[in-house]
Amino acid sequence: RIFKAIRRIVRAIDLRSRDVSKAVGLTIPQIVVLQSVEELGEVTTKEISIQADLSAATVVMILDKLESKHLIERYRSKVDRRIVHSRLTRQGQEVLDQVPPMLHDEFRASLNAATRLRQGALCEAIEAIAEMMDAGHLDAAPILMTEDKPV
């Protein structure tokens, strides 16, 4: 039953990811990194890596793509030239404003209708499953990207 439920979740996430990617022309990891830059402001690659739960190498590749699309800009710190910061461009903010929610409307409505206690229990259960599957050390980006095209 657990494996079947996980397969259904993976399939639902895959389908939603395709819809979201198609809507804005970016892969899910690119969207996640763009959202991290928006949330954190002018930020280093390491901070993005932690926030997005992606390896630093993956974040650098994604930032290269986002910079080539003029969605972010990178610049050296004035305090320490070894440090490189990233920030959203106006075009990057416009793209983010068009990103649909990552979770289905039905799921979000059901989750919002649940009590705080139930929401917490669901979150804990999902986190426990991820931990049991030893997913904490995985970099999900390669699974979600195929070449330069959204999945």
Side-chain angles (χ1 to χ4, degrees), residues 10 14 29 138-146 151:
V10 168
D14 181 51
L138 297 177
D139 185 1
I143 296 168
L144 299 173
M145 295 187 329
T146 55
V151 181

Side-chain angles (χ1 to χ4, degrees), residues 106-125:
E106 298 84 11
F107 177 83
R108 290 182 314 120
S110 294
L111 187 61
N112 287 335
T115 65
R116 286 270 192 224
L117 186 62
R118 175 82 170 138
Q119 290 173 1
L122 288 168
C123 187
E124 287 177 19

Side-chain angles (χ1 to χ4, degrees), residues 30-47:
Q30 288 172 337
I31 293 169
V32 168
V33 168
L34 211 53
Q35 289 172 332
S36 294
V37 173
E38 178 187 42
E39 289 173 25
L40 298 171
E42 298 181 7
V43 64
T44 65
T45 301
K46 181 179 180 181
E47 292 167 311

Side-chain angles (χ1 to χ4, degrees), residues 14-32:
D14 181 51
L15 291 173
R16 182 61 184 168
S17 295
R18 290 172 194 252
D19 290 342
V20 171
S21 292
K22 197 179 291 186
V24 292
L26 297 174
T27 65
I28 296 301
Q30 288 172 337
I31 293 169
V32 168

